[in-house]
Amino acid sequence: MRVIRTASLQEMNEVGAQYLLGAMHTQHRTNIAITAGSTPKGVYDVMIPLVKDKDYFDNVHYYNFDEIPFKGEDGYGVTMTNLNKLYFDPANISREKIHVLDWTNYETQDERIAEDGGLDFVLLGVGADGHFCGNLPGTTKFGDLTSRVDEDATPDMVDVLLSEVGGVEEKRPDFYVTMGPKSIMQIKKLVMIANGKAKAGIVKKLVEGVVTEDVPATLLTTHPDFTLIVDAEAAALL
Amino acid sequence: MRVIRTASLQEMNEVGAQYLLGAMHTQHRTNIAITAGSTPKGVYDVMIPLVKDKDYFDNVHYYNFDEIPFKGEDGYGVTMTNLNKLYFDPANISREKIHVLDWTNYETQDERIAEDGGLDFVLLGVGADGHFCGNLPGTTKFGDLTSRVDEDATPDMVDVLLSEVGGVEEKRPDFYVTMGPKSIMQIKKLVMIANGKAKAGIVKKLVEGVVTEDVPATLLTTHPDFTLIVDAEAAALL
Amino acid sequence: MRVIRTASLQEMNEVGAQYLLGAMHTQHRTNIAITAGSTPKGVYDVMIPLVKDKDYFDNVHYYNFDEIPFKGEDGYGVTMTNLNKLYFDPANISREKIHVLDWTNYETQDERIAEDGGLDFVLLGVGADGHFCGNLPGTTKFGDLTSRVDEDATPDMVDVLLSEVGGVEEKRPDFYVTMGPKSIMQIKKLVMIANGKAKAGIVKKLVEGVVTEDVPATLLTTHPDFTLIVDAEAAALL
Amino acid sequence: MRVIRTASLQEMNEVGAQYLLGAMHTQHRTNIAITAGSTPKGVYDVMIPLVKDKDYFDNVHYYNFDEIPFKGEDGYGVTMTNLNKLYFDPANISREKIHVLDWTNYETQDERIAEDGGLDFVLLGVGADGHFCGNLPGTTKFGDLTSRVDEDATPDMVDVLLSEVGGVEEKRPDFYVTMGPKSIMQIKKLVMIANGKAKAGIVKKLVEGVVTEDVPATLLTTHPDFTLIVDAEAAALL
């Protein structure tokens, strides 16, 4: 495990982009999974002008690693909608290069990735509760591959799902899908970003090195190529 | 995780040797850790004539991953004594290439390995109880690096230690040292061998994919390059 | 460049097999190219019982790197006929795993390999004149990719082609196809075997390190992962 | 070979920096060689603020690949003086991380690099005449390792040496040292940058794929992981 302590959110974004760009510059096809959410926005803002319409990145294939449906809708779910807005659309990434995980194909996600040669790189965020992807405390086990998490998985899952669709009850789904801890551990290189005071506690736990299913992201600290990039606020308790 | 089901103990030994030899044929230095015990004896028997006095394996550096002292003795402990007998002596491996872990230096083992560029490969056995290296159920946590395990770690540890020194009470140590689960997970390529009926239960658990500290080896199933090689008896419950 | 000096032809065969088997034991798909001819026969004889009907090698995809047509015949050419006899048939390799290069598709060979993720490994032989694959002195340039070599490429090419089809004039083709020096250099790991007194001269040249188009194989000595395995007779002039 | 056509010198500099930074972000030690001269100045200008005083790059070890002595002086030569000014000093790189090649140790350069585990990455420039490092047409052979080039190597070498020391005759040395083509080919990943109209001709030759000792850099096009980054002017003849 490598810990990179940056002095600011902007530096965290730049180092995150350095990792992503390094992973994208390969002779042959490279498969990378990227995270949605608020944390990576700054990373993508750094990357968009460097990636947009650059045909030398045609070797890059993108994957999302979780998805939450909008109830009653057939199109993209919450994650892909967010990734489209944050990165895929502004960076003008060809749809042919985006391998969408959703509720129709999650059962074959791990198998399809293996057929594609495995994932080479993933950019992850982490929750204050230690969740990564859709692996929330209480919902998934370390040994899980890609799976479905239902609204009764934890006492507050209904609220989580409601929050994910912006509080609109009619759009609230009763499940989501996510690559599991074991799926993510199969990836060759893992990079996680964390910023802000709210993440100082989880960052401390990750660095201290206890590994427990109660804090799912702690598993990743055992991976042979795991890097955690934090800003000064997230590093405050180190 | 890759599972290799072989038809016989001899085939398991040969495939184990294929992995080891493949890891040893590199342009530059390669660092490998190997296991003592009864399981790997057949693998080493395959390898000894192929390795002995072959200067084209001078690039290989060897590491042991646990050690149990003989009480009152200063020389090699149980593990190195066994490895010397099974492999290092009959294969005539230069002492300069063997990086001994013992009770005098275990606190810097992970740091020294990192300075050497990390371990590239490890050959592991597994106990019927799911232990690997000296990581027995109840003694170590997934997040542990190399550490010391004392005689009061579990109720039956005194018996375990007595057994390791051949039942000779005067030689029974009150502790041992071992690379921890997190240390082993840092290695680039993990290969585990298991044979015989007594291992069928643990093999089943490993393949089923539950990951729990109660069965320490289950953590290894999340590693991005983990191979389990079993004979027909060990595969009986798959 | 790594030079492995073995004491006998049998040891050369075994070390060649060690390299091949090491390259075949991977978590995901691996792409390997293998050589026809008399030199590798002993390597394949070592490998066949270890590979035949072993489903744990289903991840291996095979490629041939040159081909000589039998004039007037539509089936396999000289190289594939030889590989079928020496290895593919006795090892019972599925035809789905064999990616045939021939006169109908050589113009897209490099492109197809790139789409498959590149070749990971090649086992090569070498001629007393320094040729490898179909890259004979005078026929190909270091910068060539897969190409066609015609009967007028060199003064004795007609004789070479006649010899390749067993001296039967009616079967003599007027060209062959081969991956070029640049194609082979793109492969991640190169292993070359050479045995017998007749190869002592070329082995000396390879080890001395002069690189010249007059001795095509000398280019390979500049590759970052090139290993030359020789027996005692081929090493006689070192 | 991968060719990256950028729209401007600034974009070439940024992509060059992306490659370097990608190569520097590793879990363990990484060994990189970098080029002096005018071409890389913009790359280093991008990198300096990203690298200066960042302890997360303590894993990076730097190497120079050629050196020209100032006659009668014992200190740094032309290359190191230039690298100090362009990058090592403004980026505040610790001297402990800089492995200097000069006239006192060039004979063991290849051996020392091998002992350090090999070079992982090199950033190269290219001359209009196709030279790279100190490998000028007529001075070195493809098969050369690190060697010394004397003032009588080519008819205009005296002028070249004079030019390198700023035209000051008293400082003109009668030789220089350089890693050879074969030394550079041993590096895992090669990246070359070229910008400006004066480089359009050599870029065309590199892309066309002829490999000839008369244009030394053409050898690099056969390397399995070679990337050429050019700006619009250097790409004008493609």
Side-chain angles (χ1 to χ4, degrees):
Chain A
M1 181 183 179
R2 189 183 182 212
V3 180
I4 294 187
R5 296 174 66 159
T6 64
S8 66
L9 177 56
Q10 181 56 24
E11 186 181 345
M12 185 201 82
N13 291 336
E14 284 169 1
V15 175
Q18 289 167 16
Y19 265 95
L20 262 171
L21 292 162
M24 290 163 65
H25 279 307
T26 57
Q27 294 279 315
H28 293 293
R29 171 175 176 159
T30 185
N31 299 327
I32 70 172
I34 59 174
T35 183
S38 53
T39 307
K41 185 178 184 308
V43 175
Y44 300 142
D45 287 346
V46 172
M47 291 188 64
I48 288 164
L50 304 176
V51 172
K52 187 180 180 187
D53 299 331
K54 305 298 187 193
D55 56 11
Y56 45 81
F57 285 125
D58 283 353
N59 60 312
V60 181
H61 287 246
Y62 293 94
Y63 296 76
N64 63 312
F65 52 57
D66 58 18
E67 190 52 285
I68 305 161
F70 290 107
K71 190 176 182 181
E73 296 187 13
D74 284 338
Y76 289 125
V78 172
T79 295
M80 275 300 301
T81 299
N82 183 262
L83 282 173
N84 286 337
K85 182 179 167 190
L86 288 183
Y87 181 70
F88 291 139
D89 286 344
N92 201 21
I93 305 299
S94 164
R95 289 291 142 184
E96 292 178 5
K97 304 293 186 184
I98 304 172
H99 301 256
V100 177
L101 161 70
D102 65 21
W103 46 94
T104 69
N105 64 5
Y106 72 96
E107 290 175 301
T108 57
Q109 172 79 349
D110 295 282
E111 186 184 328
R112 282 179 291 122
I113 286 173
E115 282 170 5
D116 290 350
L119 290 174
D120 298 289
F121 183 91
V122 63
L123 178 72
L124 295 158
V126 63
D129 61 352
H131 85 262
F132 66 100
C133 312
N135 301 296
L136 278 65
T139 64
T140 44
K141 299 288 186 180
F142 281 164
D144 284 350
L145 293 170
T146 304
S147 57
R148 171 181 165 134
V149 178
D150 284 290
E151 63 184 355
D152 59 357
T154 62
D156 59 353
M157 184 54 73
V158 168
D159 292 341
V160 169
L161 290 164
L162 185 60
S163 169
E164 288 285 351
V165 295
V168 183
E169 182 58 38
E170 303 82 60
K171 293 192 176 179
R172 184 180 64 77
D174 50 10
F175 73 96
Y176 64 87
V177 296
T178 184
M179 289 177 71
K182 194 173 181 176
S183 305
I184 297 300
M185 288 289 286
Q186 302 307 300
I187 301 172
K188 291 203 192 79
K189 193 177 188 81
L190 314 184
V191 173
M192 177 175 276
I193 49 176
N195 70 286
K197 291 180 189 173
K199 301 291 173 67
I202 179 64
V203 165
K204 182 168 183 281
K205 285 182 188 170
L206 291 172
V207 172
E208 283 175 344
V210 172
V211 175
T212 169
E213 245 165 16
D214 296 336
V215 187
T218 56
L219 177 64
L220 308 183
T221 66
T222 69
H223 190 281
D225 197 350
F226 173 63
T227 300
L228 175 64
I229 311 171
V230 296
D231 74 351
E233 290 186 340
L237 299 179
L238 297 183
Chain B
M1 180 183 180
R2 190 183 182 212
V3 180
I4 294 188
R5 297 173 65 160
T6 65
S8 65
L9 177 56
Q10 182 56 25
E11 185 181 346
M12 185 201 80
N13 292 335
E14 285 169 0
V15 175
Q18 290 167 17
Y19 266 96
L20 262 171
L21 292 162
M24 290 162 64
H25 280 307
T26 56
Q27 294 279 317
H28 294 295
R29 170 176 176 158
T30 185
N31 299 327
I32 71 172
I34 59 174
T35 183
S38 54
T39 306
K41 185 177 184 307
V43 175
Y44 300 142
D45 287 345
V46 172
M47 291 188 63
I48 287 163
L50 305 176
V51 171
K52 188 180 180 186
D53 299 331
K54 305 298 187 193
D55 57 11
Y56 45 81
F57 285 125
D58 283 353
N59 60 313
V60 181
H61 287 247
Y62 294 93
Y63 297 75
N64 63 311
F65 52 58
D66 58 18
E67 189 53 284
I68 305 162
F70 290 106
K71 190 178 181 180
E73 296 187 14
D74 285 337
Y76 289 124
V78 173
T79 295
M80 275 300 301
T81 299
N82 183 262
L83 282 173
N84 287 337
K85 182 179 167 190
L86 288 183
Y87 181 69
F88 291 139
D89 286 343
N92 201 21
I93 305 300
S94 164
R95 289 290 143 184
E96 293 178 3
K97 304 294 184 183
I98 304 172
H99 301 257
V100 177
L101 161 70
D102 65 21
W103 46 94
T104 69
N105 63 6
Y106 72 96
E107 289 174 302
T108 57
Q109 172 79 350
D110 295 282
E111 186 184 326
R112 283 179 289 120
I113 286 173
E115 282 169 5
D116 289 350
L119 290 174
D120 297 289
F121 182 91
V122 63
L123 180 71
L124 297 157
V126 64
D129 61 353
H131 85 263
F132 66 100
C133 312
N135 301 295
L136 277 65
T139 65
T140 44
K141 298 287 185 181
F142 281 165
D144 285 351
L145 293 170
T146 305
S147 56
R148 171 181 164 132
V149 177
D150 285 290
E151 64 185 355
D152 59 356
T154 61
D156 59 352
M157 184 53 74
V158 168
D159 292 341
V160 170
L161 290 164
L162 184 60
S163 169
E164 288 285 352
V165 294
V168 182
E169 184 57 39
E170 304 80 61
K171 294 191 176 180
R172 184 180 63 76
D174 50 11
F175 74 97
Y176 64 87
V177 296
T178 184
M179 290 177 70
K182 194 172 181 177
S183 306
I184 297 300
M185 287 289 286
Q186 302 307 299
I187 301 172
K188 291 203 192 79
K189 194 178 187 84
L190 315 184
V191 173
M192 177 176 275
I193 49 176
N195 69 285
K197 291 180 190 173
K199 301 291 173 68
I202 179 62
V203 165
K204 182 167 183 281
K205 285 182 188 170
L206 291 172
V207 172
E208 282 175 344
V210 172
V211 176
T212 169
E213 244 164 18
D214 296 337
V215 187
T218 56
L219 177 64
L220 308 183
T221 66
T222 70
H223 189 280
D225 197 349
F226 173 62
T227 300
L228 175 64
I229 310 171
V230 295
D231 75 349
E233 290 186 341
L237 299 179
L238 298 182
Chain C
M1 180 182 180
R2 190 183 181 211
V3 181
I4 294 188
R5 297 174 65 159
T6 64
S8 65
L9 176 56
Q10 181 55 23
E11 186 181 345
M12 185 200 81
N13 292 336
E14 284 169 1
V15 175
Q18 290 167 17
Y19 265 96
L20 262 171
L21 292 162
M24 290 162 65
H25 279 308
T26 57
Q27 294 280 315
H28 293 293
R29 171 175 176 159
T30 185
N31 299 327
I32 71 174
I34 58 174
T35 183
S38 53
T39 307
K41 186 180 183 306
V43 175
Y44 300 142
D45 286 345
V46 172
M47 290 187 64
I48 287 163
L50 305 176
V51 171
K52 187 181 180 185
D53 300 330
K54 305 299 187 192
D55 57 11
Y56 46 81
F57 285 125
D58 282 352
N59 59 313
V60 181
H61 287 246
Y62 294 94
Y63 297 74
N64 62 312
F65 52 57
D66 58 18
E67 189 52 283
I68 305 161
F70 290 105
K71 191 177 183 181
E73 295 188 13
D74 285 337
Y76 289 125
V78 173
T79 295
M80 275 300 301
T81 299
N82 183 262
L83 282 172
N84 287 337
K85 183 180 167 190
L86 288 182
Y87 181 69
F88 291 139
D89 286 345
N92 201 22
I93 306 299
S94 164
R95 289 290 141 184
E96 293 178 3
K97 304 294 185 184
I98 305 172
H99 302 257
V100 177
L101 161 70
D102 65 21
W103 47 94
T104 69
N105 64 7
Y106 73 95
E107 290 175 302
T108 57
Q109 172 79 351
D110 295 282
E111 186 184 326
R112 282 178 291 121
I113 285 173
E115 282 169 5
D116 290 349
L119 290 175
D120 298 290
F121 182 92
V122 64
L123 179 71
L124 296 156
V126 63
D129 60 354
H131 85 261
F132 67 99
C133 312
N135 301 295
L136 278 64
T139 63
T140 44
K141 299 286 185 180
F142 280 166
D144 284 351
L145 293 170
T146 304
S147 56
R148 172 181 164 134
V149 177
D150 285 291
E151 63 184 357
D152 58 358
T154 62
D156 58 352
M157 183 54 72
V158 168
D159 292 340
V160 169
L161 289 164
L162 184 61
S163 168
E164 287 286 351
V165 295
V168 182
E169 182 58 37
E170 303 82 59
K171 294 192 176 180
R172 183 179 65 76
D174 50 11
F175 72 97
Y176 64 87
V177 295
T178 184
M179 290 177 70
K182 194 173 182 176
S183 306
I184 298 300
M185 288 288 286
Q186 302 307 299
I187 301 173
K188 291 204 192 78
K189 194 177 188 80
L190 315 184
V191 174
M192 178 176 276
I193 48 177
N195 69 284
K197 291 179 189 173
K199 301 291 173 68
I202 179 62
V203 165
K204 182 166 183 281
K205 285 181 188 171
L206 292 172
V207 172
E208 283 175 343
V210 172
V211 176
T212 169
E213 244 165 17
D214 296 337
V215 187
T218 57
L219 177 64
L220 307 183
T221 66
T222 70
H223 190 281
D225 197 350
F226 173 62
T227 300
L228 174 65
I229 310 169
V230 296
D231 74 349
E233 290 186 339
L237 300 179
L238 298 184
Chain D
M1 178 182 180
R2 190 184 180 210
V3 180
I4 293 188
R5 297 173 65 161
T6 64
S8 65
L9 176 56
Q10 181 56 23
E11 186 182 344
M12 185 200 83
N13 292 335
E14 284 169 1
V15 174
Q18 290 166 17
Y19 265 96
L20 262 171
L21 292 162
M24 291 162 64
H25 279 307
T26 57
Q27 295 279 315
H28 294 293
R29 171 175 175 158
T30 185
N31 300 327
I32 70 173
I34 58 175
T35 183
S38 54
T39 307
K41 185 178 184 307
V43 175
Y44 300 142
D45 287 345
V46 172
M47 291 188 62
I48 288 164
L50 304 177
V51 171
K52 187 180 180 186
D53 299 331
K54 305 299 187 192
D55 58 10
Y56 46 81
F57 285 124
D58 283 352
N59 59 312
V60 181
H61 288 246
Y62 293 93
Y63 297 74
N64 63 311
F65 52 58
D66 58 19
E67 190 51 285
I68 305 161
F70 290 106
K71 191 177 181 180
E73 296 187 14
D74 284 339
Y76 289 124
V78 173
T79 295
M80 275 300 300
T81 299
N82 183 262
L83 282 173
N84 286 337
K85 181 180 167 190
L86 288 182
Y87 181 70
F88 291 139
D89 286 344
N92 201 23
I93 305 299
S94 163
R95 289 290 142 184
E96 292 178 5
K97 304 294 184 183
I98 304 173
H99 302 256
V100 177
L101 161 71
D102 64 22
W103 47 94
T104 69
N105 65 6
Y106 73 95
E107 290 174 303
T108 57
Q109 172 79 349
D110 295 282
E111 186 184 326
R112 283 179 291 123
I113 286 173
E115 282 170 5
D116 290 349
L119 290 174
D120 298 289
F121 182 90
V122 63
L123 179 72
L124 296 157
V126 63
D129 61 353
H131 84 260
F132 66 100
C133 313
N135 301 295
L136 278 64
T139 64
T140 43
K141 299 287 185 181
F142 281 165
D144 284 351
L145 292 171
T146 304
S147 56
R148 171 182 164 132
V149 177
D150 285 290
E151 62 184 357
D152 59 358
T154 62
D156 58 353
M157 184 54 73
V158 168
D159 293 340
V160 169
L161 289 164
L162 184 61
S163 169
E164 287 286 351
V165 295
V168 183
E169 182 58 38
E170 302 82 62
K171 294 191 176 179
R172 184 179 64 76
D174 50 10
F175 73 96
Y176 64 88
V177 295
T178 184
M179 291 177 70
K182 194 173 180 175
S183 305
I184 297 300
M185 288 290 285
Q186 302 307 300
I187 301 173
K188 291 203 191 79
K189 194 177 187 82
L190 315 183
V191 174
M192 177 175 276
I193 49 177
N195 68 285
K197 291 179 189 173
K199 302 292 172 67
I202 179 61
V203 165
K204 182 167 183 281
K205 285 182 188 170
L206 292 172
V207 172
E208 281 175 344
V210 172
V211 175
T212 169
E213 243 165 18
D214 297 337
V215 187
T218 56
L219 177 64
L220 307 183
T221 66
T222 69
H223 190 280
D225 197 350
F226 173 62
T227 299
L228 174 64
I229 310 171
V230 296
D231 74 349
E233 289 186 339
L237 299 179
L238 298 183

